Amino acid sequence: SGTLGIYANNVGTTTTSYSRVLPTFSTEVSTVLERPLMAGSLPLEQTLEPKITYIYTPYKNQSAYPVFDTGSPSLNFIQMFSDAAFNGHDRVADLNQITAGVTTRLIEEQSGAERFRAAVGQRFYFSDQRVVLPGGTVRTDRRSDLLGQISARPMKDWSVDSQVQYTPSTSTIQNVSLVNRFTPRPAHVLSAAYRYVRGSSNTIDLAVQCPV
């Protein structure tokens, strides 16, 4: 809810205040399985972490509500398990969906440092989307793109992070990112990144940071 001055807002009305009450139900089932593992002479602990969430929010017509700073976030692992379909509070999305994912990690037993992480996840929708932002399109698919993520730390000062978004129904890769980061000592960073977004960009980024 919020209060507005008396002027025509971006939905063409002069209403001075808006309010709404929408319940949301969410539940999560997850577990962590562990086992010891040896990589040469290095003792590790491998985890297997399945996770399933269910979220339900009923539909409410909000077409007469103004939109100030709300947007649609890009699909990523953090947003995939979130109960908010928009960035901002100008719209509350109707949701009826399950998200399933699994993560595995390799952790050094002595230091607790994470050396490797791999994850995959996908959403499954039980109904069509009805609440959209002005000019947006209604989602009718019954499942989201498949997300895959791999992070590795081959050395103490070198890390590699990658992510891919894949559409199974069309066998299409939507975006790919690969980021290498080298940190030989504090405040000294050298990074190289490759990013591909289908139909939009195909870029390589180089960056360096050091004290002056």
Side-chain angles (χ1 to χ4, degrees):
S1 63
T3 301
L4 307 175
I6 303 178
Y7 59 88
N9 57 45
N10 60 358
V11 293
T13 67
T14 56
T15 305
T16 59
S17 66
Y18 297 86
S19 64
R20 65 198 154 187
V21 176
L22 277 171
T24 293
F25 170 80
S26 65
T27 185
E28 175 185 314
V29 178
S30 62
T31 187
V32 178
L33 307 175
E34 303 174 347
R35 68 164 183 168
L37 191 68
M38 292 294 295
S41 59
L42 180 65
L44 299 172
E45 181 180 273
Q46 182 184 17
T47 71
L48 184 65
E49 306 168 34
K51 180 178 180 179
I52 297 176
T53 62
Y54 173 74
I55 301 172
Y56 176 77
T57 303
Y59 166 76
K60 181 178 180 62
N61 185 359
Q62 300 161 65
S63 59
Y65 288 59
V67 175
F68 296 103
D69 56 2
T70 295
S72 296
S74 59
L75 189 63
N76 55 59
F77 273 94
I78 296 176
Q79 197 273 333
M80 176 174 277
F81 287 94
S82 171
D83 59 1
F86 302 117
N87 288 329
H89 303 287
D90 301 322
R91 290 289 185 274
V92 178
D94 53 311
L95 302 173
N96 187 12
Q97 64 193 35
I98 278 181
T99 303
V102 62
T103 300
T104 183
R105 296 186 295 157
L106 296 178
I107 302 170
E108 289 186 9
E109 283 193 353
Q110 293 183 350
S111 66
E114 183 179 286
R115 298 296 295 268
F116 178 84
R117 173 194 294 257
V120 63
Q122 190 172 24
R123 277 180 182 168
F124 300 89
Y125 305 104
F126 297 108
S127 60
D128 294 344
Q129 179 187 19
R130 300 177 66 185
V131 177
V132 296
L133 296 174
T137 57
V138 175
R139 175 195 47 75
T140 59
D141 295 336
R142 282 295 178 262
R143 57 179 179 170
S144 72
D145 289 345
L146 190 67
L147 285 186
Q149 185 181 62
I150 293 179
S151 300
R153 188 177 292 273
M155 299 167 55
K156 181 180 179 181
D157 50 11
W158 176 32
S159 64
V160 181
D161 297 292
S162 64
Q163 181 170 299
V164 60
Q165 180 178 339
Y166 176 75
T167 305
S169 60
T170 59
S171 301
T172 304
I173 293 178
Q174 300 297 337
N175 64 66
V176 175
S177 67
L178 176 63
V179 180
N180 283 272
R181 187 173 291 105
F182 179 60
T183 310
R185 54 184 185 271
H188 292 75
V189 181
L190 175 64
S191 67
Y194 169 73
R195 295 181 176 88
Y196 165 78
V197 179
R198 184 177 181 83
S200 176
S201 62
N202 192 7
T203 61
I204 294 177
D205 300 328
L206 301 175
V208 62
Q209 171 187 307
C210 64
V212 176

